[in-house]
Amino acid sequence: MDIQFNRNEDAMKLSLTEMRKRLHKIYEGGGKKSIEKQRERNKLTARERIDYLRDADKPFIELGAFAGYDMYAEQGGCPAGGTVAGIGYVSGRQCIIVANDQTVKAGAWFPISGKKNLRMQEIAMENRLPVIYLVDSAGVFLPMQDEIFPDKEHFGRIFRNNARMSAMGITQIAAVMGACVAGGAYLPIMSDETLMVEGNGSIFLAGPYLVKAAIGEDIDAETLGGAVTHTELSGIADYKFKTEQECLDEVKKLMSKLGEKKKAGFDRVAPKPPKKNPEELYGLFPADGKPYDMLEIIERIVDDSDFDQFKQDYGKTILCGYARIDGWAVGIVANQRTIVKNKKNEMQLGGVIYNDSADKAARFILNCNQKKIPLVFLQDVTGFMVGSRSEHSGIIKDGAKMVNAVANSVVPKITIVVGNSYGAGNYAMCGKAYDPRFIYAWPTAKIAVMGGDQAAKTLLQIQVAAMKAKGKEVSAEEEKKLLDEIKGRYDAQTTPYYAAARLWVDEIIDPIETRKVISEGIAAANNNPDMDDLRVGVFQV
């Protein structure tokens, strides 16, 4: 391979090392002291519970590990949003697992905790996946109650979803392994079955201290709402166990008895590995933002490196075509990053959506819907083409057609942000607002309304104009300092970590994992047989 390939590979591996370093810190939860306190009470950590519960020989894809990253510094942080969650298998059944991390503020719910838990329920509802809740939480984080309690997408929405999921026939199992307090007490009781661990598990609307303050009654937690109380007296819980391991073993038994349900019927054949080595993804993706051939990326993700292009010689800045990923039939829509030339001998910039590529992509998306083929979007987009020529050619109406097709698509969509995700290009290429079933980012992803240089210069002009309007002269040195400050702040907001912290993406992944997450995403989507009829809005012509 050439020197540029080696440089790219080194840069990607460095970024992956940095990602794993950050993850290692996140995996410590509330810290070693908090973990030791768990162990003193014969309690496993959230991650240990999931590892014990899930099928070790099948994939587990953690989701939202970076939730809350670098947020809530004044409250001491909230690693992983105080919740460990993901999609995996228990007794051979694919499911969502959500585990409160008691080492993080006693498992209390921060605003991002609520958002993450709602996202897990959304995934379960969209894909008809069973949900297992491993409950160990002190309830709402009171200092921030106004940001987690009263609004539509806040804490209460979780219990509303419990009820809706039950009506949809989605199995929900709650294992109460620690505190389950106040409004949070409804989650296990609104699940299909509730299991409790003696001595540690407790469920009550008000704990002993609040009971004492409210009505003057002295009572301990176990008598008030422990496993014995709720399995023998109130009838609220269904099973009790001496240890967490026994409790989790019962969850496995319950899951093993779930009946088979109808599938969506997406096409799958025996998987074939790519002919081209997936590890070469590290060296093919440029570290310096230079052009590259997206086809080379695709051929290291799809089975047998076989990509059947649609309208190959038209609208070349977007690649569209059929392929298989781990056996699953998929339609791929990907931004081409090389400079191309159309039949009119016009040069077109890679990563930019032009009139012809927008038309082509819209048509291909509708074709995949017609054929019931899931869509995969590979984003490295700087936006739609600008300037008088594009505007006069109707780029807005052509872009609107593509956005219309993406918005009204009914087949499952999975989005991978490999590089830039700027402006309306983010929307047209199925960004978060367009309901992808799953959305992942490579460590090289950048998500923003526009590139850092353009944004910083625009913001600088506004700021300097405002200063001059007040009669303040701005020197060249001051302008440069302002520009550097603005760009530094803006660039920090475009990183995949900033996006993942706010759940704009479900997870940051190693590029090598791209095949796996897409395959597991389609396997999840295949559990939901219900699909709306395709109806598109009015197309501008």
Side-chain angles (χ1 to χ4, degrees), residues 78-89:
C78 185
T83 304
V84 182
I87 182 169
Y89 294 80

Side-chain angles (χ1 to χ4, degrees), residues 179-197:
C180 190
V181 184
Y186 286 106
L187 184 145
I189 309 313
M190 295 187 75
S191 299
D192 300 330
E193 293 183 269
T194 304
L195 303 79
M196 295 186 72
V197 177

